[in-house]
Amino acid sequence: MTKTIVVTSGKGGVGKTTTAASFATGLARRGFKTVVIDFDVGLRNLDLIMGCERRVVYDLVNLVNQEASLHQTLIKDKRIDNLYILPASQTRDKDALTIEGIARVMHKLKKSEFDYIICDSPAGIEKGAKMALYFADEAIVTTNPEVSSVRDSDRILGILQSESKRSKMNEDPVKEHLLITRYNPGRVKDGQMLSVDDIVDLLAIPLLGIIPESPTVLESSNAGKPVILDDESQAGQAYADAIDRLLGENKPHRFMEAPKKGLLRRLFG
Amino acid sequence: MASNNGVELKGGMYTFMSLKVSTTDPEILDEKLADKVQQAPGFFKNTPVVVDLTGLEDAESAEFDAAAMLSCIRRHQLIPIVASVSDKLSPLATSIELPLIEGGQRGAKIEQPEQTVTSKKSESSVYPESSEVVEYTVKTPMLVTKPIRSGQQVYARDTDLIIMGSVGPGAEVIADHNVHIYGALRGRALCGVSGNTTTRIFCQSLEAELVSVAGNYRMLETIPEELRGKPAQIWLDNDRLNIEPL
């Protein structure tokens, strides 16, 4: 059974693409045949994060318009087996996508026996975002610990409940997961950021994971390497934990406390 | 069928205040009524009321002076229009000079989705010119078991709205009757939007952007600081919006 998961947020710049890349990579590393689709037509980024920008020949719009085959369009990851990238078009805009076209693509992917289809949603609540979430079975709502991001997540949750295929067909609702990214326990303690409890209380959906704010995330993005591949980093470990939870494991949440400063750091830091 | 018939007979629904009488002693009644009316003199003045006598079933007709009761009610500037009794043929019912309706079961039976109690006026009435049909309707409230998200709008037409969850910022919950929120109210809540001024909003945590009762609204900025985040109810008292902790 193929599972379709949308990574969405409403707000831009909260870490959707980073999350989609890491989840796809992590699932493929665990042996699942996985494809990650960039729905941000016109603002293609996923290929950069995945480090395959020089290998893009055909894209999602070509596939939707039946100008290229699935085999021609999918980019196979060089590091991880079972991992494929379906890039967005940079020269078109979101109007190039249609529900019928996407449905055809989804059908082909299911026939190719993919276990997971990860849809990287563009920001906003317009056509691109609605296309990305339409076929979702599950949704990872990516939220930063600040009020505007939480409000936009609330909005996108409402859209998931009313505009997804599952809601329109009266099927079981889309399973919602909360992923808090760029969490900085020190700033939460100082009252500059919302706490995990505040966010969970505001959004009232189950918590999948907390990704701590870390310079490694930016370094990995620049290097075209999903941060989950950096096993040493806290962010990489937090993503790995979140994937375990997505697969049904019960893992305690980590990286929620500010690191204690040693005596020297307290004196000189 | 032309409109020049002069009269037209129609079924209609009206909302009336109901005055439940649970004493046969006119003096106690007088005292209690004075108390009630004093709380909001303008509000009760010349208000038509249904006199609910269903609580007096066991009383002996001998110790019940219907005329004294009615004059007492009228003295407080309330206008009794109809009496609600559980048995129209009881001695208590026959002694009162008001049109009768059988209302004994009303309110008790709420498992039925819709219940209408209809009573035509009896011929023995002292108000022969009246020919209207009095109807009471209880409509099932609208129940939402999920949180209301930012950007969503829910409207309960002609009934109460019950929300088991929070109302997000930028969300809007609207009802013709009361709004009950078993969660935090962070968006907008509007009750009595079709003009019912006796409706209220209840919530477990008041963080609303806006609350409105029958068109009288208040923004968060004007909600007292000490009430924010607390369980509260909002209702209308003489066109003044009241917010009080629960």
Side-chain angles (χ1 to χ4, degrees), chain B residues 13-57:
Chain B
M13 263 184 279
Y14 301 90
T15 309
F16 288 113
M17 204 155 36
S18 157
L19 177 71
K20 181 144 182 132
V21 180
S22 47
T23 173
T24 52
D25 187 333
E27 274 177 31
I28 296 176
L29 180 68
D30 187 58
E31 195 183 309
K32 298 287 176 202
L33 265 178
D35 270 6
K36 281 270 175 267
V37 173
Q38 204 176 14
Q39 286 169 18
F43 183 72
F44 290 113
K45 195 171 182 187
N46 294 330
T47 306
V49 291
V50 175
V51 184
D52 185 352
L53 298 174
T54 53
L56 287 178
E57 283 164 293

mmCIF file of all heavy atoms in Angstrom, chain B residues 13-57:
data_model
loop_
_atom_site.group_PDB
_atom_site.id
_atom_site.type_symbol
_atom_site.label_atom_id
_atom_site.label_comp_id
_atom_site.label_asym_id
_atom_site.label_seq_id
_atom_site.Cartn_x
_atom_site.Cartn_y
_atom_site.Cartn_z
ATOM 1 N N MET B 13 -44.352 30.769 14.779
ATOM 2 C CA MET B 13 -43.571 30.474 15.973
ATOM 3 C C MET B 13 -43.104 31.776 16.606
ATOM 4 O O MET B 13 -42.566 32.639 15.923
ATOM 5 C CB MET B 13 -42.355 29.644 15.593
ATOM 6 C CG MET B 13 -42.571 28.176 15.794
ATOM 7 S SD MET B 13 -41.073 27.309 15.448
ATOM 8 C CE MET B 13 -41.176 27.240 13.677
ATOM 9 N N TYR B 14 -43.342 31.909 17.879
ATOM 10 C CA TYR B 14 -42.909 33.103 18.587
ATOM 11 C C TYR B 14 -42.170 32.693 19.847
ATOM 12 O O TYR B 14 -42.432 31.647 20.426
ATOM 13 C CB TYR B 14 -44.113 33.979 18.962
ATOM 14 C CG TYR B 14 -44.911 34.412 17.761
ATOM 15 C CD1 TYR B 14 -45.974 33.641 17.283
ATOM 16 C CD2 TYR B 14 -44.579 35.592 17.082
ATOM 17 C CE1 TYR B 14 -46.687 34.025 16.174
ATOM 18 C CE2 TYR B 14 -45.289 35.988 15.964
ATOM 19 C CZ TYR B 14 -46.348 35.206 15.507
ATOM 20 O OH TYR B 14 -47.035 35.593 14.410
ATOM 21 N N THR B 15 -41.251 33.527 20.262
ATOM 22 C CA THR B 15 -40.554 33.250 21.507
ATOM 23 C C THR B 15 -41.157 34.107 22.617
ATOM 24 O O THR B 15 -41.259 35.321 22.467
ATOM 25 C CB THR B 15 -39.065 33.594 21.369
ATOM 26 O OG1 THR B 15 -38.584 32.958 20.207
ATOM 27 C CG2 THR B 15 -38.283 33.125 22.562
ATOM 28 N N PHE B 16 -41.588 33.448 23.690
ATOM 29 C CA PHE B 16 -42.126 34.189 24.830
ATOM 30 C C PHE B 16 -41.358 33.836 26.080
ATOM 31 O O PHE B 16 -40.809 32.746 26.212
ATOM 32 C CB PHE B 16 -43.601 33.834 25.057
ATOM 33 C CG PHE B 16 -44.509 34.409 24.003
ATOM 34 C CD1 PHE B 16 -45.174 33.578 23.123
ATOM 35 C CD2 PHE B 16 -44.695 35.778 23.913
ATOM 36 C CE1 PHE B 16 -46.004 34.098 22.153
ATOM 37 C CE2 PHE B 16 -45.530 36.310 22.942
ATOM 38 C CZ PHE B 16 -46.190 35.472 22.060
ATOM 39 N N MET B 17 -41.343 34.751 27.010
ATOM 40 C CA MET B 17 -40.798 34.457 28.303
ATOM 41 C C MET B 17 -41.823 33.611 29.055
ATOM 42 O O MET B 17 -43.017 33.788 28.903
ATOM 43 C CB MET B 17 -40.537 35.750 29.048
ATOM 44 C CG MET B 17 -39.500 35.588 30.080
ATOM 45 S SD MET B 17 -38.653 37.095 30.500
ATOM 46 C CE MET B 17 -39.874 38.335 30.399
ATOM 47 N N SER B 18 -41.316 32.670 29.816
ATOM 48 C CA SER B 18 -42.220 31.822 30.579
ATOM 49 C C SER B 18 -42.024 32.097 32.067
ATOM 50 O O SER B 18 -40.898 32.166 32.554
ATOM 51 C CB SER B 18 -41.913 30.364 30.215
ATOM 52 O OG SER B 18 -42.338 29.524 31.239
ATOM 53 N N LEU B 19 -43.128 32.307 32.751
ATOM 54 C CA LEU B 19 -43.066 32.604 34.192
ATOM 55 C C LEU B 19 -43.541 31.374 34.952
ATOM 56 O O LEU B 19 -44.724 31.020 34.918
ATOM 57 C CB LEU B 19 -43.962 33.814 34.502
ATOM 58 C CG LEU B 19 -44.066 34.224 35.968
ATOM 59 C CD1 LEU B 19 -42.770 34.852 36.449
ATOM 60 C CD2 LEU B 19 -45.220 35.197 36.177
ATOM 61 N N LYS B 20 -42.600 30.722 35.603
ATOM 62 C CA LYS B 20 -42.960 29.497 36.315
ATOM 63 C C LYS B 20 -43.438 29.867 37.716
ATOM 64 O O LYS B 20 -42.697 30.456 38.500
ATOM 65 C CB LYS B 20 -41.751 28.564 36.375
ATOM 66 C CG LYS B 20 -42.052 27.263 37.070
ATOM 67 C CD LYS B 20 -41.317 26.089 36.426
ATOM 68 C CE LYS B 20 -41.710 24.803 37.137
ATOM 69 N NZ LYS B 20 -42.073 23.736 36.264
ATOM 70 N N VAL B 21 -44.689 29.513 37.999
ATOM 71 C CA VAL B 21 -45.253 29.823 39.312
ATOM 72 C C VAL B 21 -45.219 28.561 40.156
ATOM 73 O O VAL B 21 -45.735 27.520 39.750
ATOM 74 C CB VAL B 21 -46.703 30.331 39.181
ATOM 75 C CG1 VAL B 21 -47.282 30.662 40.554
ATOM 76 C CG2 VAL B 21 -46.761 31.552 38.284
ATOM 77 N N SER B 22 -44.586 28.644 41.320
ATOM 78 C CA SER B 22 -44.508 27.447 42.147
ATOM 79 C C SER B 22 -45.064 27.687 43.551
ATOM 80 O O SER B 22 -44.788 26.956 44.481
ATOM 81 C CB SER B 22 -43.063 26.947 42.201
ATOM 82 O OG SER B 22 -42.201 28.022 42.465
ATOM 83 N N THR B 23 -45.833 28.756 43.678
ATOM 84 C CA THR B 23 -46.491 28.996 44.964
ATOM 85 C C THR B 23 -47.964 29.369 44.735
ATOM 86 O O THR B 23 -48.303 29.986 43.720
ATOM 87 C CB THR B 23 -45.784 30.115 45.761
ATOM 88 O OG1 THR B 23 -46.565 30.408 46.914
ATOM 89 C CG2 THR B 23 -45.640 31.387 44.929
ATOM 90 N N THR B 24 -48.813 28.978 45.645
ATOM 91 C CA THR B 24 -50.222 29.357 45.537
ATOM 92 C C THR B 24 -50.516 30.595 46.370
ATOM 93 O O THR B 24 -51.599 31.157 46.296
ATOM 94 C CB THR B 24 -51.134 28.210 46.023
ATOM 95 O OG1 THR B 24 -50.681 27.806 47.317
ATOM 96 C CG2 THR B 24 -51.094 27.033 45.068
ATOM 97 N N ASP B 25 -49.511 31.001 47.136
ATOM 98 C CA ASP B 25 -49.701 32.139 48.031
ATOM 99 C C ASP B 25 -49.455 33.448 47.281
ATOM 100 O O ASP B 25 -48.322 33.715 46.866
ATOM 101 C CB ASP B 25 -48.729 32.004 49.220
ATOM 102 C CG ASP B 25 -48.994 33.059 50.279
ATOM 103 O OD1 ASP B 25 -49.519 34.146 49.912
ATOM 104 O OD2 ASP B 25 -48.681 32.799 51.451
ATOM 105 N N PRO B 26 -50.496 34.269 47.070
ATOM 106 C CA PRO B 26 -50.324 35.500 46.296
ATOM 107 C C PRO B 26 -49.301 36.447 46.916
ATOM 108 O O PRO B 26 -48.617 37.187 46.203
ATOM 109 C CB PRO B 26 -51.720 36.137 46.305
ATOM 110 C CG PRO B 26 -52.628 35.213 47.005
ATOM 111 C CD PRO B 26 -51.867 34.078 47.568
ATOM 112 N N GLU B 27 -49.163 36.425 48.239
ATOM 113 C CA GLU B 27 -48.224 37.349 48.882
ATOM 114 C C GLU B 27 -46.783 36.986 48.570
ATOM 115 O O GLU B 27 -45.949 37.848 48.276
ATOM 116 C CB GLU B 27 -48.448 37.351 50.403
ATOM 117 C CG GLU B 27 -49.538 38.323 50.787
ATOM 118 C CD GLU B 27 -49.844 38.297 52.282
ATOM 119 O OE1 GLU B 27 -48.907 38.026 53.062
ATOM 120 O OE2 GLU B 27 -51.008 38.511 52.630
ATOM 121 N N ILE B 28 -46.484 35.665 48.634
ATOM 122 C CA ILE B 28 -45.128 35.222 48.295
ATOM 123 C C ILE B 28 -44.845 35.527 46.825
ATOM 124 O O ILE B 28 -43.778 36.023 46.470
ATOM 125 C CB ILE B 28 -44.970 33.703 48.570
ATOM 126 C CG1 ILE B 28 -45.134 33.433 50.063
ATOM 127 C CG2 ILE B 28 -43.618 33.202 48.081
ATOM 128 C CD1 ILE B 28 -45.093 31.981 50.446
ATOM 129 N N LEU B 29 -45.850 35.260 45.999
ATOM 130 C CA LEU B 29 -45.693 35.527 44.560
ATOM 131 C C LEU B 29 -45.384 37.005 44.326
ATOM 132 O O LEU B 29 -44.483 37.357 43.559
ATOM 133 C CB LEU B 29 -46.976 35.114 43.825
ATOM 134 C CG LEU B 29 -46.970 35.325 42.309
ATOM 135 C CD1 LEU B 29 -45.983 34.393 41.640
ATOM 136 C CD2 LEU B 29 -48.358 35.134 41.732
ATOM 137 N N ASP B 30 -46.122 37.840 45.012
ATOM 138 C CA ASP B 30 -45.952 39.280 44.879
ATOM 139 C C ASP B 30 -44.521 39.681 45.229
ATOM 140 O O ASP B 30 -43.865 40.428 44.501
ATOM 141 C CB ASP B 30 -46.946 39.986 45.814
ATOM 142 C CG ASP B 30 -46.940 41.495 45.583
ATOM 143 O OD1 ASP B 30 -47.207 41.884 44.422
ATOM 144 O OD2 ASP B 30 -46.659 42.244 46.523
ATOM 145 N N GLU B 31 -44.036 39.130 46.325
ATOM 146 C CA GLU B 31 -42.703 39.458 46.814
ATOM 147 C C GLU B 31 -41.623 38.990 45.829
ATOM 148 O O GLU B 31 -40.707 39.736 45.474
ATOM 149 C CB GLU B 31 -42.538 38.738 48.158
ATOM 150 C CG GLU B 31 -41.379 39.225 49.003
ATOM 151 C CD GLU B 31 -41.287 38.380 50.266
ATOM 152 O OE1 GLU B 31 -42.338 38.221 50.957
ATOM 153 O OE2 GLU B 31 -40.204 37.846 50.532
ATOM 154 N N LYS B 32 -41.770 37.745 45.365
ATOM 155 C CA LYS B 32 -40.771 37.173 44.445
ATOM 156 C C LYS B 32 -40.766 37.925 43.106
ATOM 157 O O LYS B 32 -39.703 38.189 42.536
ATOM 158 C CB LYS B 32 -41.070 35.685 44.171
ATOM 159 C CG LYS B 32 -41.000 34.817 45.406
ATOM 160 C CD LYS B 32 -39.561 34.605 45.857
ATOM 161 C CE LYS B 32 -39.521 33.816 47.160
ATOM 162 N NZ LYS B 32 -38.258 34.035 47.898
ATOM 163 N N LEU B 33 -41.948 38.255 42.648
ATOM 164 C CA LEU B 33 -42.040 38.981 41.374
ATOM 165 C C LEU B 33 -41.386 40.353 41.489
ATOM 166 O O LEU B 33 -40.665 40.795 40.593
ATOM 167 C CB LEU B 33 -43.508 39.136 40.967
ATOM 168 C CG LEU B 33 -44.063 38.088 40.025
ATOM 169 C CD1 LEU B 33 -45.535 38.344 39.753
ATOM 170 C CD2 LEU B 33 -43.295 38.049 38.717
ATOM 171 N N ALA B 34 -41.648 41.018 42.623
ATOM 172 C CA ALA B 34 -41.055 42.336 42.849
ATOM 173 C C ALA B 34 -39.535 42.233 42.772
ATOM 174 O O ALA B 34 -38.872 43.073 42.149
ATOM 175 C CB ALA B 34 -41.499 42.872 44.209
ATOM 176 N N ASP B 35 -38.987 41.170 43.371
ATOM 177 C CA ASP B 35 -37.543 40.918 43.336
ATOM 178 C C ASP B 35 -37.031 40.835 41.905
ATOM 179 O O ASP B 35 -36.062 41.482 41.518
ATOM 180 C CB ASP B 35 -37.238 39.571 44.014
ATOM 181 C CG ASP B 35 -36.978 39.761 45.493
ATOM 182 O OD1 ASP B 35 -37.158 40.908 45.965
ATOM 183 O OD2 ASP B 35 -36.606 38.771 46.151
ATOM 184 N N LYS B 36 -37.700 39.984 41.143
ATOM 185 C CA LYS B 36 -37.277 39.721 39.762
ATOM 186 C C LYS B 36 -37.344 40.988 38.922
ATOM 187 O O LYS B 36 -36.392 41.329 38.226
ATOM 188 C CB LYS B 36 -38.189 38.657 39.118
ATOM 189 C CG LYS B 36 -37.851 37.243 39.530
ATOM 190 C CD LYS B 36 -36.831 36.629 38.583
ATOM 191 C CE LYS B 36 -36.399 35.246 39.074
ATOM 192 N NZ LYS B 36 -35.200 35.311 39.905
ATOM 193 N N VAL B 37 -38.479 41.646 39.015
ATOM 194 C CA VAL B 37 -38.705 42.795 38.156
ATOM 195 C C VAL B 37 -37.731 43.919 38.502
ATOM 196 O O VAL B 37 -37.257 44.641 37.632
ATOM 197 C CB VAL B 37 -40.173 43.267 38.257
ATOM 198 C CG1 VAL B 37 -40.381 44.570 37.494
ATOM 199 C CG2 VAL B 37 -41.105 42.192 37.724
ATOM 200 N N GLN B 38 -37.390 43.991 39.770
ATOM 201 C CA GLN B 38 -36.500 45.068 40.204
ATOM 202 C C GLN B 38 -35.099 44.935 39.581
ATOM 203 O O GLN B 38 -34.407 45.924 39.385
ATOM 204 C CB GLN B 38 -36.391 45.023 41.732
ATOM 205 C CG GLN B 38 -36.008 46.375 42.303
ATOM 206 C CD GLN B 38 -36.000 46.362 43.813
ATOM 207 O OE1 GLN B 38 -36.031 45.308 44.444
ATOM 208 N NE2 GLN B 38 -35.969 47.524 44.408
ATOM 209 N N GLN B 39 -34.718 43.700 39.267
ATOM 210 C CA GLN B 39 -33.395 43.477 38.678
ATOM 211 C C GLN B 39 -33.244 44.189 37.332
ATOM 212 O O GLN B 39 -32.160 44.627 36.966
ATOM 213 C CB GLN B 39 -33.146 41.976 38.490
ATOM 214 C CG GLN B 39 -32.852 41.264 39.803
ATOM 215 C CD GLN B 39 -32.875 39.752 39.637
ATOM 216 O OE1 GLN B 39 -32.784 39.235 38.538
ATOM 217 N NE2 GLN B 39 -33.002 39.056 40.754
ATOM 218 N N ALA B 40 -34.319 44.257 36.595
ATOM 219 C CA ALA B 40 -34.265 44.924 35.286
ATOM 220 C C ALA B 40 -35.652 45.451 34.951
ATOM 221 O O ALA B 40 -36.374 44.860 34.156
ATOM 222 C CB ALA B 40 -33.800 43.946 34.221
ATOM 223 N N PRO B 41 -36.046 46.567 35.586
ATOM 224 C CA PRO B 41 -37.426 47.049 35.455
ATOM 225 C C PRO B 41 -37.830 47.304 34.009
ATOM 226 O O PRO B 41 -38.903 46.906 33.576
ATOM 227 C CB PRO B 41 -37.423 48.352 36.255
ATOM 228 C CG PRO B 41 -36.188 48.347 37.062
ATOM 229 C CD PRO B 41 -35.209 47.456 36.378
ATOM 230 N N GLY B 42 -36.951 47.921 33.243
ATOM 231 C CA GLY B 42 -37.280 48.275 31.861
ATOM 232 C C GLY B 42 -37.490 47.047 30.997
ATOM 233 O O GLY B 42 -38.309 47.039 30.089
ATOM 234 N N PHE B 43 -36.720 46.011 31.328
ATOM 235 C CA PHE B 43 -36.734 44.815 30.506
ATOM 236 C C PHE B 43 -38.067 44.085 30.596
ATOM 237 O O PHE B 43 -38.562 43.540 29.631
ATOM 238 C CB PHE B 43 -35.597 43.889 30.948
ATOM 239 C CG PHE B 43 -35.466 42.647 30.112
ATOM 240 C CD1 PHE B 43 -34.966 42.728 28.815
ATOM 241 C CD2 PHE B 43 -35.845 41.419 30.610
ATOM 242 C CE1 PHE B 43 -34.840 41.599 28.043
ATOM 243 C CE2 PHE B 43 -35.725 40.274 29.836
ATOM 244 C CZ PHE B 43 -35.215 40.375 28.547
ATOM 245 N N PHE B 44 -38.649 44.093 31.799
ATOM 246 C CA PHE B 44 -39.863 43.306 32.012
ATOM 247 C C PHE B 44 -41.142 44.084 31.717
ATOM 248 O O PHE B 44 -42.214 43.508 31.629
ATOM 249 C CB PHE B 44 -39.913 42.789 33.453
ATOM 250 C CG PHE B 44 -38.888 41.721 33.724
ATOM 251 C CD1 PHE B 44 -37.839 41.942 34.591
ATOM 252 C CD2 PHE B 44 -38.985 40.490 33.089
ATOM 253 C CE1 PHE B 44 -36.902 40.943 34.832
ATOM 254 C CE2 PHE B 44 -38.046 39.495 33.324
ATOM 255 C CZ PHE B 44 -37.007 39.727 34.197
ATOM 256 N N LYS B 45 -41.025 45.371 31.570
ATOM 257 C CA LYS B 45 -42.225 46.191 31.455
ATOM 258 C C LYS B 45 -43.076 45.795 30.239
ATOM 259 O O LYS B 45 -42.592 45.767 29.113
ATOM 260 C CB LYS B 45 -41.822 47.677 31.334
ATOM 261 C CG LYS B 45 -42.987 48.592 31.576
ATOM 262 C CD LYS B 45 -42.527 50.031 31.670
ATOM 263 C CE LYS B 45 -43.735 50.913 31.955
ATOM 264 N NZ LYS B 45 -43.378 52.324 31.905
ATOM 265 N N ASN B 46 -44.330 45.496 30.504
ATOM 266 C CA ASN B 46 -45.299 45.125 29.459
ATOM 267 C C ASN B 46 -44.854 43.942 28.600
ATOM 268 O O ASN B 46 -45.097 43.893 27.406
ATOM 269 C CB ASN B 46 -45.609 46.316 28.555
ATOM 270 C CG ASN B 46 -46.331 47.409 29.337
ATOM 271 O OD1 ASN B 46 -47.064 47.105 30.289
ATOM 272 N ND2 ASN B 46 -46.101 48.649 28.960
ATOM 273 N N THR B 47 -44.142 43.012 29.245
ATOM 274 C CA THR B 47 -43.684 41.839 28.516
ATOM 275 C C THR B 47 -44.754 40.749 28.575
ATOM 276 O O THR B 47 -45.220 40.395 29.649
ATOM 277 C CB THR B 47 -42.389 41.294 29.147
ATOM 278 O OG1 THR B 47 -41.450 42.344 29.204
ATOM 279 C CG2 THR B 47 -41.829 40.134 28.356
ATOM 280 N N PRO B 48 -45.153 40.214 27.418
ATOM 281 C CA PRO B 48 -46.087 39.085 27.451
ATOM 282 C C PRO B 48 -45.400 37.852 28.043
ATOM 283 O O PRO B 48 -44.246 37.579 27.722
ATOM 284 C CB PRO B 48 -46.420 38.843 25.976
ATOM 285 C CG PRO B 48 -45.613 39.803 25.189
ATOM 286 C CD PRO B 48 -44.742 40.589 26.084
ATOM 287 N N VAL B 49 -46.103 37.159 28.922
ATOM 288 C CA VAL B 49 -45.504 35.956 29.514
ATOM 289 C C VAL B 49 -46.455 34.767 29.426
ATOM 290 O O VAL B 49 -47.678 34.925 29.446
ATOM 291 C CB VAL B 49 -45.097 36.153 30.997
ATOM 292 C CG1 VAL B 49 -43.932 37.099 31.143
ATOM 293 C CG2 VAL B 49 -46.285 36.607 31.836
ATOM 294 N N VAL B 50 -45.859 33.599 29.330
ATOM 295 C CA VAL B 50 -46.612 32.359 29.443
ATOM 296 C C VAL B 50 -46.562 31.972 30.922
ATOM 297 O O VAL B 50 -45.488 31.867 31.502
ATOM 298 C CB VAL B 50 -45.959 31.258 28.584
ATOM 299 C CG1 VAL B 50 -46.674 29.932 28.789
ATOM 300 C CG2 VAL B 50 -45.951 31.657 27.123
ATOM 301 N N VAL B 51 -47.706 31.823 31.537
ATOM 302 C CA VAL B 51 -47.726 31.475 32.955
ATOM 303 C C VAL B 51 -47.643 29.952 33.078
ATOM 304 O O VAL B 51 -48.551 29.230 32.669
ATOM 305 C CB VAL B 51 -48.996 32.006 33.646
ATOM 306 C CG1 VAL B 51 -48.938 31.715 35.138
ATOM 307 C CG2 VAL B 51 -49.146 33.497 33.395
ATOM 308 N N ASP B 52 -46.523 29.492 33.568
ATOM 309 C CA ASP B 52 -46.272 28.054 33.649
ATOM 310 C C ASP B 52 -46.756 27.531 35.002
ATOM 311 O O ASP B 52 -46.163 27.828 36.044
ATOM 312 C CB ASP B 52 -44.773 27.805 33.475
ATOM 313 C CG ASP B 52 -44.452 26.324 33.437
ATOM 314 O OD1 ASP B 52 -45.362 25.510 33.697
ATOM 315 O OD2 ASP B 52 -43.287 25.989 33.153
ATOM 316 N N LEU B 53 -47.851 26.775 34.975
ATOM 317 C CA LEU B 53 -48.434 26.279 36.227
ATOM 318 C C LEU B 53 -48.159 24.790 36.431
ATOM 319 O O LEU B 53 -48.744 24.155 37.289
ATOM 320 C CB LEU B 53 -49.951 26.511 36.230
ATOM 321 C CG LEU B 53 -50.375 27.986 36.160
ATOM 322 C CD1 LEU B 53 -51.887 28.094 36.024
ATOM 323 C CD2 LEU B 53 -49.908 28.751 37.385
ATOM 324 N N THR B 54 -47.250 24.243 35.620
ATOM 325 C CA THR B 54 -47.020 22.801 35.697
ATOM 326 C C THR B 54 -46.412 22.384 37.027
ATOM 327 O O THR B 54 -46.442 21.227 37.402
ATOM 328 C CB THR B 54 -46.103 22.335 34.555
ATOM 329 O OG1 THR B 54 -44.921 23.153 34.578
ATOM 330 C CG2 THR B 54 -46.774 22.474 33.205
ATOM 331 N N GLY B 55 -45.836 23.351 37.746
ATOM 332 C CA GLY B 55 -45.254 23.038 39.054
ATOM 333 C C GLY B 55 -46.298 23.007 40.157
ATOM 334 O O GLY B 55 -45.971 22.702 41.312
ATOM 335 N N LEU B 56 -47.544 23.354 39.825
ATOM 336 C CA LEU B 56 -48.584 23.447 40.860
ATOM 337 C C LEU B 56 -49.596 22.310 40.776
ATOM 338 O O LEU B 56 -50.678 22.391 41.340
ATOM 339 C CB LEU B 56 -49.341 24.778 40.721
ATOM 340 C CG LEU B 56 -48.585 26.033 41.169
ATOM 341 C CD1 LEU B 56 -49.439 27.257 40.924
ATOM 342 C CD2 LEU B 56 -48.177 25.955 42.618
ATOM 343 N N GLU B 57 -49.200 21.257 40.073
ATOM 344 C CA GLU B 57 -50.152 20.174 39.827
ATOM 345 C C GLU B 57 -50.794 19.620 41.098
ATOM 346 O O GLU B 57 -51.968 19.288 41.113
ATOM 347 C CB GLU B 57 -49.426 19.024 39.112
ATOM 348 C CG GLU B 57 -49.210 19.303 37.653
ATOM 349 C CD GLU B 57 -48.182 18.357 37.090
ATOM 350 O OE1 GLU B 57 -47.001 18.463 37.492
ATOM 351 O OE2 GLU B 57 -48.574 17.514 36.278
#
